[in-house]
Amino acid sequence: MNISEIKKLDEEYIASTYGRLPLVPAYGKNATLTDVCGRKYIDFTAGIGVNSLGIAPEEWIAAVTEQLGKIQHISNYYYSAPTAVLAEKIVKSSQMKKVIFSNSGGEANEAAIKTARKYSFDKYGKGRSKIITLLDSFHGRTVTTLSATGQDVFHNYFFPFTEGFDYVKAGDIEALEKLCDGTVCAVMCEVIQGEGGVNVIDAGFLSEVKKLCDEKDILLIFDEVQTGIARTGTLYAYQNVGVKPDIFTLAKGLGAGLPIGCCVLGEKCADVLHPGDHGSTFGGNPVICAGACVVMDTVTKPEFLNSVKEKGNYIISEISLMNAPVVSEIRGRGLMIGVKVKASHKEIAKKCLAEGLMILTAGKDVLRFLPPLTITYGEIDKGLEILRKVLSEIPG
Ligand SMILES: *Cc1c(COP(=O)(O)O)cnc(C)c1O
């Protein structure tokens, strides 16, 4: 099939919930993709931070196909070795207690929300179910995680939304203190807001939030769906700010391209949910977990984590050296980078794609880079060369 045939089928039969860009990738290696016409692209998106080990990583393919040849799925009514081994890796690397597997970030957050509400219900009874999140956050697309998302644009059409959420501005500890009365069971936030614009949340604020939560027995939930799995140069982003949550969630980079979500529970709430309280048909699938074990073994190596930090610092310094008038700020950590621009971020992303570079956008005016963690310096330089050309052609 050629591009126009594929485009025609897609537009005729798939509901248009995405405005797709004109690219049909056919195959690739690491951060270099080839489209159906044989044209090459540098990938600074990793499928929205999902392909953590790049396209077609060999060890991961071997682990996934080996498990695929044994048992592809067995349901959560039986034990599964790759699932249990992955759980151990996540728990030991975070010093948490237990995990709940699911299939996506939104679902992992649902599990976190349910756990927090039941923790509070078991201990304090009804009426203590509210969850405070941050403005400009993003927590998912289910009716409940849309409620948790602190952006008005997401609170349309699908009424009634799940009640019991309220929002504060990042950094405003007084406002949070005011909201944290006897009706609140949890505070939930990203360590660096991804979709909201690569907003790095102040570490001092996060430790004040932690202190407040501990005093009032309110659970602190970190949504690490985007920041987790070495994306920011530490295995989990909270490890860089020195604030340990009671619950955190993972998804995007964990499966290296196959769907998995994970809600990680600490001491306080490890045994809150009992058989029948929660479940998932596909959650913890053995094939995906076998692949995720390779991801964990790879990204937890100190030299790997260092390389993520170094590549991130290199990209940030190269972009600032471009001195492009259209750029007003560069921010982020590790390989989660935001470049604030004074022109349309969507138009810049389109121009980059036309030149052979895939990038993401976030918030109202931010270019977002989430390349595979394994991207090479050669690939980075090729991508930056295209970015330099595109940015230099836009007046400030
Ligand atoms: C992507 C994302 C989600 C939603 O994950 P899905 O897998 O699309 O459900 C939730 N929280 C954060 C921080 C995300 O970046």
Side-chain angles (χ1 to χ4, degrees):
M1 274 197 285
N2 65 32
I3 288 187
S4 57
E5 286 165 341
I6 296 165
K7 195 163 174 261
K8 188 164 172 282
L9 268 189
D10 182 300
E11 283 166 5
E12 191 161 346
Y13 295 110
I14 300 179
S16 54
T17 58
Y18 280 87
R20 293 204 210 285
L21 292 158
L23 169 62
V24 189
Y27 57 90
K29 198 72 202 169
N30 204 19
T32 308
L33 262 90
T34 307
D35 75 3
V36 288
C37 307
R39 187 172 176 215
K40 284 194 168 17
Y41 292 80
I42 296 295
D43 179 17
F44 277 9
T45 74
I48 323 185
V50 167
N51 296 333
S52 45
L53 306 183
I55 304 284
E58 272 148 35
E59 255 187 90
W60 174 86
I61 291 176
V64 165
T65 48
E66 193 196 331
Q67 181 58 40
L68 202 49
K70 290 181 185 163
I71 289 175
Q72 76 275 34
H73 168 82
I74 197 60
S75 96
N76 281 304
Y77 288 111
Y78 306 96
Y79 293 93
S80 153
T83 314
V85 170
L86 178 62
E88 181 191 26
K89 288 181 195 298
I90 295 169
V91 165
K92 289 208 166 146
S93 62
S94 59
Q95 278 125 38
M96 297 291 271
K97 288 285 174 208
K98 288 191 175 168
V99 305
I100 301 168
F101 286 119
S102 57
N103 313 290
S104 67
E107 276 178 282
N109 286 339
E110 290 268 352
I113 291 164
K114 286 172 77 173
T115 302
R117 286 186 167 175
K118 185 163 185 291
Y119 170 81
S120 193
F121 180 87
D122 288 348
K123 231 170 143 176
Y124 303 97
K126 271 190 180 163
R128 196 178 179 277
S129 55
K130 200 186 281 172
I131 296 175
I132 314 293
T133 68
L134 298 184
L135 292 173
D136 293 326
S137 58
F138 181 80
H139 297 297
R141 295 283 192 167
T142 66
V143 175
T144 295
T145 54
L146 280 175
S147 269
T149 293
Q151 301 187 52
D152 286 341
V153 290
F154 287 100
H155 302 155
N156 285 312
Y157 324 123
F158 313 119
F159 305 103
F161 287 97
T162 307
E163 58 183 77
F165 289 89
D166 212 336
Y167 319 97
V168 293
K169 210 167 152 245
D172 194 344
I173 193 73
E174 285 84 28
L176 182 64
E177 263 167 19
K178 257 185 219 143
L179 284 177
C180 283
D181 55 15
T183 67
V184 174
C185 68
V187 173
M188 172 157 143
C189 70
E190 295 151 273
V191 179
I192 299 175
Q193 293 180 331
E195 305 303 315
V198 193
N199 308 315
V200 181
I201 307 298
D202 178 64
F205 172 69
L206 291 175
S207 41
E208 285 178 307
V209 173
K210 167 80 177 162
K211 196 164 154 262
L212 181 67
C213 286
D214 283 349
E215 277 165 20
K216 302 193 179 225
D217 196 19
I218 290 169
L219 295 183
L220 178 59
I221 305 170
F222 282 159
D223 178 344
E224 292 238 25
V225 166
Q226 192 160 149
T227 53
I229 312 299
R231 176 53 58 188
T232 70
T234 47
L235 183 57
Y236 308 113
Y238 74 79
Q239 292 168 327
N240 189 73
V241 294
V243 177
K244 196 180 169 193
D246 298 297
I247 302 176
F248 69 91
T249 55
L250 298 169
K252 291 189 165 83
L254 177 58
L258 291 174
I260 184 169
C262 185
C263 172
V264 190
L265 307 169
E267 186 86 58
K268 271 191 178 180
C269 52
D271 298 309
V272 161
L273 297 180
H274 304 302
D277 288 339
H278 192 62
S280 165
T281 300
F282 293 111
N285 171 279
V287 173
I288 304 178
C289 287
C293 283
V294 172
V295 174
M296 288 297 289
D297 290 345
T298 307
V299 306
T300 46
K301 292 197 176 89
E303 59 275 20
F304 188 93
L305 291 166
N306 272 336
S307 77
V308 171
K309 281 183 211 147
E310 280 166 15
K311 288 179 215 170
N313 291 341
Y314 175 74
I315 294 174
I316 288 178
S317 85
E318 287 296 305
I319 296 173
S320 58
L321 286 172
M322 289 176 196
N323 276 322
V326 71
V327 171
S328 59
E329 196 188 335
I330 309 165
R331 59 199 184 207
R333 196 175 287 143
L335 286 170
M336 179 170 184
I337 296 167
V339 175
K340 195 173 164 185
V341 288
K342 292 177 245 168
S344 161
H345 58 337
K346 301 266 183 211
E347 284 307 311
I348 295 174
K350 275 186 199 159
K351 282 187 178 144
C352 285
L353 187 66
E355 299 288 335
L357 173 66
M358 299 155 68
I359 63 169
L360 296 160
T361 58
K364 287 187 226 54
D365 51 10
V366 175
L367 309 175
R368 181 173 41 146
F369 308 145
L370 301 171
L373 305 175
T374 50
I375 190 168
T376 64
Y377 280 94
E379 289 169 327
I380 291 173
D381 284 339
K382 278 187 196 162
L384 289 176
E385 198 44 53
I386 295 170
L387 186 70
R388 181 179 295 114
K389 177 171 184 282
V390 170
L391 293 182
S392 72
E393 286 164 1
I394 301 164

